[in-house]
Amino acid sequence: MAPSKIYLLMAIGMALQVVHAAPSTLGNNDVCTSSQCVQTAASIIRDMNPTVDPCEDFSAYTCGGFWEREEIPADKESIGYFRIVADQNNRVIRSIVSPESDPQLEAIDDKIAAGRNLQKLKDLYASCMDEEQIAKVGRQPVVDQLKTILDLFPATTADITLDRMALSTTLAHLNRIGLDSFSSFGVSTDVKDPTRHLMDLSEGGLGLPSKEYYLDERITTVYQTTVAQMFELMQGKGLEINNGTSSTSTKVEVVVSSEWEEAAKDVVEFEKLLAGIATERTERRDPEKSYNPRTLDQIRAMTPSIDWHLIVQSILPEKNDIPDIIIVNSPGFQERLEGLLQKTSPKTIQNYLSWTVIRELAGSLNLPYRQPLRILNAALSGVSADVVPDRWKTCVAVVNSQLGDMAGQYFISDSFKGNSRTQVRDMIESLRETYLKSFPNLNWLDDATTEGAIKKMKAIVQLTGFSTNSPNVGSSKNVDDYYQDYKVDPKDYFGNQLRMNVWGTERYFNELDKPVNKKKMHMSPQTVNAYYSPTENQIVFPAGILQPPFFHTENPEYINWGGIGVVAGHEITHGFDNKGHQFDALGRLANWWSNSTTEAFNKKAQCFIDQYGNFTVKGSDGKDYNVNGQLTLGENIADNGGLKQSFDTWKARYNSDPAGRRYNNFRLPGLEGLTAEQLFFISYARPWCSKQRPESAIRQMRTDPHSPAKWRINGAVQNSVGFAEAFKCKAKAPMNPDKKCDLW
Ligand SMILES: [Zn+2]
């Protein structure tokens, strides 16, 4: 059943011969020897550990070779296929934006605009790569920002009463320059009427990734040291920096004065209290609980210490009136915030606001001025603070985040082949058919709810490849227009970051009185990811994910269906998970479920909560930490539904075509010992082959709604009857428990 190492050698041998065989002429029993087939087979075999019983631990069976072979790069917190593919895409982006490069577009609608775009990309990249210039400006850009805060919010240790006006002006300023503080206004789709936008007020302002970290003394100690050192560094004291020699050194010793030691202690104590009043993450993800329409007067009543009217007025574009209604994500938090502000000294709040600016902006300074932040990051991610990633990687990330769609136009031209788009679209349509057929067979779904589910499934819209609106990535002119108000200066890295923040915030608020644009893709084309948007009832697949191990046009179907097929099924299932099912076919947060069916849904969902809540991950302290079954519920439902629906879709096609005349289900060289069904599941698991530093794993568990990679594999296959049959797992084997959770 399992391929041996000898097959691996054979596979590589054939790769050298590069035997081309057109896949379409091959039947289900023929072995494909095209270079793509050889490559696909070889990479599957390389990742496996065939000595493991797949029914004992499927992740170890599929990924054992990967685990043994791959090392986490020194500058990364994990390694896995999402990262490996993203690295490939990043190299493409680098080849576009490097000074000497001359990338070509397949089609240009406006030569002048195209030239401007390329220059803008190169300028942004160059500003980031110019470490000499960044060292030359030193700490000054952040010092200037701190001065603004102190001007807006003057306070001394003698002050007792909070200056409401000063605080509000400062919060408005932070909001405008896109920095996160304890309360920020934003713009989002109105979940009850998803054609329009509404202003919202959300909570935030924690410097550590989640509230749990404030209970971890080891972390809060590192955090306090970081705050103190950064304060001191921004005074220009505590450290002698020689621009020429020490700008790339990570050996930074900061002598902190007692004044800033005290200030740091105050800030961390304040944040501990802020964490104490923060809303639980699971509650913040609940769409009904976060939808609280309030007038400004009502918001004022919750937190009288802040002049909300002043903030709204100063961040809205002039053309806009003050909105009648603002969505408050957590009114309870705003009320508790009042209590906290009342008992906090103005000086502490000033220090906290200053720290917010440092925390959010100092990452763009030269190395010695951000080293304490990197030491904090080391404690949170496990990546050593002595390791500095290659500068180009940082700078490509900056290009992706600031001019993602502009760079994406070149990425598409370089790496995206049109036929993959057609093929993936066809797959999604087949998946939709399977779902539609499955609904009437689910005995826990009553007739009325089945009808609603069918209606919603039919209405799901798919976007594949790249955004065609706001901006249209296919048009140089449109991309140029879209980014035209964002000015890039090749000599001002810090300024570019700040201008992007302001541009982004203004763009959001300008959308407020415009209808929601359903053609916009909220990910750049080179992104290795996919998403479902409940308010748009839309599934989206950027070009970046349409490549191995997820997909290749020349792969046999069972490989593609195990890969991108499950990803597509996962995104579709999000429309029906614990959050998505609360939205109707038009993307409205509106209940279309009967009470009894809701009850049945919740009961079935509880099965997943219990199952995943029993899975554990090792922390850096060697202790086992349990996965949060509630936080990860939606993703787990999506994984399980996606796996089942994709398997059923592929299997129906496969069974309908035993000779392989219509669909490509030929065999892969070196993998003849495995059935197509078995390879489907291996193809599902492979993208989750990964290794992660324990610190990073803990952070993921506390903040990320996705389960750890190993459990995305083993959790889903434990619930799959198709898996147990494919591998002939005995009853009660670890991967074939009696109790199976299922929903879709
Ligand atoms: Zn998901």
Side-chain angles (χ1 to χ4, degrees), residues 285 529-532 567 570-571 574 577 634-636 638-639 705-706 712:
R285 288 173 59 80
N529 212 333
Y531 69 88
Y532 170 77
V567 174
H570 171 107
E571 300 308 338
H574 270 315
D577 70 14
E635 294 299 334
N636 298 332
D639 275 349
H706 298 89
R712 295 192 75 167

Side-chain angles (χ1 to χ4, degrees), residues 375-409:
I375 291 170
L376 172 64
N377 182 59
L380 297 170
S381 69
V383 178
S384 163
D386 292 333
V387 178
V388 183
D390 293 338
R391 187 67 188 170
W392 74 265
K393 291 181 185 165
T394 305
C395 297
V396 163
V398 166
V399 169
N400 279 336
S401 95
Q402 298 193 17
L403 292 172
D405 279 323
M406 194 176 263
Q409 192 183 18

Side-chain angles (χ1 to χ4, degrees), residues 435-556:
Y435 274 94
L436 287 171
K437 278 187 212 142
S438 75
F439 290 140
N441 299 328
L442 297 173
N443 54 19
W444 58 275
L445 215 57
D446 65 13
D447 290 350
T449 316
T450 302
E451 218 171 279
I454 289 173
K455 204 170 150 199
K456 180 165 182 180
M457 181 59 70
K458 284 185 174 167
I460 291 180
V461 175
Q462 52 159 313
L463 293 185
T464 312
F466 51 87
S467 195
T468 56
N469 201 296
S470 191
N472 174 5
V473 173
S475 156
S476 297
K477 165 127 188 45
N478 194 272
V479 170
D480 179 35
D481 283 349
Y482 180 78
Y483 288 109
Q484 90 172 308
D485 290 336
Y486 169 42
K487 305 289 179 220
V488 172
D489 179 343
K491 285 282 171 202
D492 185 11
Y493 175 55
F494 187 91
N496 291 338
Q497 300 265 354
L498 203 59
R499 279 187 290 277
M500 171 44 74
N501 278 2
V502 173
W503 177 81
T505 311
E506 279 175 2
R507 201 165 53 88
Y508 266 121
F509 284 106
N510 271 319
E511 291 289 304
L512 187 55
D513 52 3
K514 292 184 191 151
V516 170
N517 178 359
K518 287 197 170 197
K519 286 185 184 154
K520 183 177 175 58
M521 194 183 268
H522 299 277
M523 278 179 182
S524 66
Q526 60 272 36
T527 310
V528 187
N529 212 333
Y531 69 88
Y532 170 77
S533 160
T535 53
E536 288 155 311
N537 197 21
Q538 200 171 62
I539 49 173
V540 181
F541 305 90
I545 198 172
L546 305 183
Q547 46 186 323
F550 304 98
F551 176 78
H552 194 283
T553 48
E554 291 167 33
N555 273 346

